[in-house]
Amino acid sequence: MKRLGEIALGILTGIGGFLEAGSLATSAQAGAEFGFRLGWAILLGAVCLALLAEMAGRLAAVSSHTLPDAMRDRFGATFYVVLLGVVGLVSFLVLASELGGVCIALELATGLGHRWWALVVGFVVWLVLWKSRFGVVEKAPGVLGLVTLAFVVAAFRLHAPAGEVARGLVPSLPDHEPARYWFLAVSIFGASVSPYLFYFYSSGAVEGRWDRSYLRINRITAWLGMGFGGVVSVAALSVAALVFAPRGIRLDQYPQAALLLAEPLGRAGFWLFAAALGIACFGAALELALELAYFAAQGLGWNA
């Protein structure tokens, strides 16, 4: 029963890990500009991320090593230091974007400019990391992230055509603006396959003291978790395709995206979008900050 609970929590963690500022923005842009045709990029990202997460969890369960541990032991300290610099820089930039996403959500909710929230959000993220246990940081954002299912509800309320959604999951060539089409495809894939997520996943497996008996749990958690996050992303793309594409609206700013749920869900949709953006980005910021600490500490052989 305990392990069934771990699978359920793992799926919820997949929502918080897969969905964040970049995924929501690129999915909505793709739906607004190309309808359902870029659903395949989300599917590809979800499959790749599930494979990488399953691999990271399997490594941790069999060897009791995280990915940074294994890379340092296999390739040596010099290689690891270079990798630490590259991954650290990229993760820091992504962390800044997630903090910005929380600030934008607060701006939508309060009307106070997002710049005024930067220090407050940074302090709250630090405080949660300092005071909370790993299990809280790992699971709580995923549970709260259930609010992102509002996109799935909205897609059903708009009667998203199942046939067109399914056809969009098959790669196709663009019929207009090919450069923009491929740019968005790469952006969706890049936003989905974030290295911090499977590094964090392997750290969670070691913290949870996984062994070989968890291999099946790991496989189910990775595939269902990332698959669930992918479904929500496809739903966000579908809602944008139904709400913005017919009107020829291109999304350039988050305040525009806030109207995504307004048509199918009314005024409550605006608040649900703000909550979904804020919670998803806050959870991603927590995971990113921990991943940076774990990546440095584990790779350098410190006790994290």
Side-chain angles (χ1 to χ4, degrees), residues 36-54:
F36 303 95
R37 301 191 64 175
L38 279 166
W40 64 266
I42 297 175
L43 176 62
L44 178 62
V47 169
C48 289
L49 193 54
L51 288 169
L52 290 167
E54 193 277 333

Side-chain angles (χ1 to χ4, degrees), residues 24 147-156 232 235-236 239 260-261 265 273 276:
L24 287 174
V147 70
T148 59
L149 291 174
F151 290 104
V152 178
V153 175
F156 276 104
V232 176
V239 174
L260 199 62
L261 299 178
L265 301 177
F273 178 86

Side-chain angles (χ1 to χ4, degrees), residues 7-63:
I7 293 177
L9 288 174
I11 293 172
L12 296 178
T13 303
I15 299 175
F18 191 96
L19 290 169
E20 34 77 48
S23 294
L24 287 174
T26 53
S27 296
Q29 284 183 313
E33 297 180 35
F34 294 96
F36 303 95
R37 301 191 64 175
L38 279 166
W40 64 266
I42 297 175
L43 176 62
L44 178 62
V47 169
C48 289
L49 193 54
L51 288 169
L52 290 167
E54 193 277 333
M55 174 196 69
R58 179 159 29 97
L59 173 69
V62 171
S63 68

